[in-house]
Amino acid sequence: WYQRRVRDTNIKKYFWKDLDLCTALVEDLGKYRLGTGENNRADEIEYLIQLESCLSEMFRESEHLSHRAHLLTANSFIVLRMLLENISTAPRLPTHLTSDTEVEDLCTELLDATTKLLFEVLLAVSEHPTFGTELSVSRVISFLESRFSTFGPVYSSMIERGLYLISRTGAASTTLLLYCVFYVLEVLARNSNFCKGVLTSSHLEDIRYYCANPELKIVRFSPLQSLAIERVNRLLKVIS
């Protein structure tokens, strides 16, 4: 376990030192969200899922690495801005694939990966003072609001995904995803009138119905159960 932890830390250290590598991966998010027209679209979406999962892992537990803050603030936040721009856009699908079951399932997986990545970004800028005042939740929110024409549909999909997850008694493994979804929803609604408006104008009754008594709906004995319940209750308070 110790050797694996050291190896993972070293990988993250080298990743956050390499501006060119990080930039290339973030640029791929935009490239394959639009689609190249050269490859199977399902393969491209699957690549996006793996890529966003990789980026989430690079953020996770890397707050102690000073290179992360330096890279994200370099050149007027160019990497952070590109990252947010790309994950705030839904993947483009040709008309003939919109009802393809395989592609639908992959798009759901991609939405989950996007939510987890946005969770890691918000967590990084809100809970770790090593980022300083230049990187903040308000800066992330401001950028997402400026792109609400594209981010709005993605945000609505995250809301619907959260309601789907909490309306079903799932496996303990879904509790992490549930926590990430409601963390993102609550932080955005608390800090953005745009996001709060989407919640209250289009989803208010569903949220109140499905999120009532979350302790009865979230899988018991999961390590994240109490945190997930707390986050759901905090969202209810924001919109009440």
Side-chain angles (χ1 to χ4, degrees):
W1 174 86
Y2 175 75
Q3 290 179 337
R4 179 181 177 184
R5 183 67 178 265
V6 170
R7 185 184 68 240
D8 289 348
T9 299
N10 286 336
I11 290 172
K12 292 175 185 180
K13 185 187 300 182
Y14 293 130
F15 174 83
W16 290 115
K17 282 183 178 180
D18 195 332
L19 177 61
D20 291 338
L21 172 61
C22 190
T23 301
L25 293 180
V26 171
E27 286 177 343
D28 267 5
L29 287 179
K31 175 182 177 181
Y32 289 101
R33 256 182 160 71
L34 295 176
T36 64
E38 302 169 359
N39 302 300
N40 183 289
R41 192 66 180 120
D43 290 342
E44 292 182 339
I45 294 174
E46 194 161 3
Y47 171 64
L48 284 171
I49 294 167
Q50 298 303 319
L51 182 53
E52 291 192 4
S53 298
C54 172
L55 290 170
S56 291
E57 186 58 38
M58 292 302 103
F59 269 98
R60 192 170 299 121
E61 297 182 355
S62 62
E63 65 277 3
H64 60 289
L65 301 176
S66 60
H67 294 286
R68 185 178 77 171
H70 294 155
L71 189 148
L72 291 173
T73 56
N75 301 324
S76 302
F77 305 91
I78 186 170
V79 171
L80 180 63
R81 286 189 289 109
M82 282 197 306
L83 174 62
L84 292 172
E85 178 180 355
N86 291 333
I87 67 174
S88 64
T89 305
R92 183 180 295 172
L93 291 178
T95 305
H96 70 279
L97 289 180
T98 54
S99 58
D100 185 292
T101 304
E102 178 191 4
V103 173
E104 263 185 27
D105 291 344
L106 286 172
C107 284
T108 299
E109 284 188 54
L110 179 59
L111 177 66
D112 293 345
T114 299
T115 303
K116 289 178 179 178
L117 180 52
L118 184 54
F119 163 80
E120 293 293 345
V121 172
L122 290 170
L123 188 66
V125 300
S126 64
E127 295 189 352
H128 302 304
T130 54
F131 269 78
T133 56
E134 289 182 312
L135 280 171
S136 61
V137 171
S138 61
R139 183 178 291 275
V140 172
I141 297 291
S142 177
F143 185 84
L144 292 175
E145 286 182 339
S146 73
R147 293 187 54 80
F148 214 76
S149 60
T150 58
F151 179 62
V154 176
Y155 183 62
S156 291
S157 295
M158 289 179 179
I159 297 170
E160 292 167 4
R161 183 66 170 150
L163 294 175
Y164 173 87
L165 290 170
I166 202 169
S167 67
R168 287 158 174 77
T169 304
S173 59
T174 65
T175 307
L176 172 59
L177 175 60
L178 185 73
Y179 172 69
C180 291
V181 172
F182 278 91
Y183 180 97
V184 169
L185 296 183
E186 188 269 327
V187 170
L188 295 186
R190 177 161 41 87
N191 292 279
S192 167
N193 288 330
F194 284 100
C195 292
K196 184 177 180 179
V198 172
L199 279 168
T200 56
S201 63
S202 304
H203 303 277
L204 184 59
E205 294 307 315
D206 285 341
I207 291 172
R208 285 176 172 169
Y209 176 78
Y210 288 112
C211 296
N213 302 313
E215 64 278 1
L216 302 179
K217 300 173 182 177
I218 297 175
V219 178
R220 305 178 76 181
F221 310 118
S222 167
L224 283 173
Q225 183 196 24
S226 60
L227 291 175
I229 290 171
E230 177 190 10
R231 196 55 61 172
V232 171
N233 285 328
R234 288 177 66 169
L235 177 64
L236 290 171
K237 287 181 180 179
V238 169
I239 64 174
S240 62

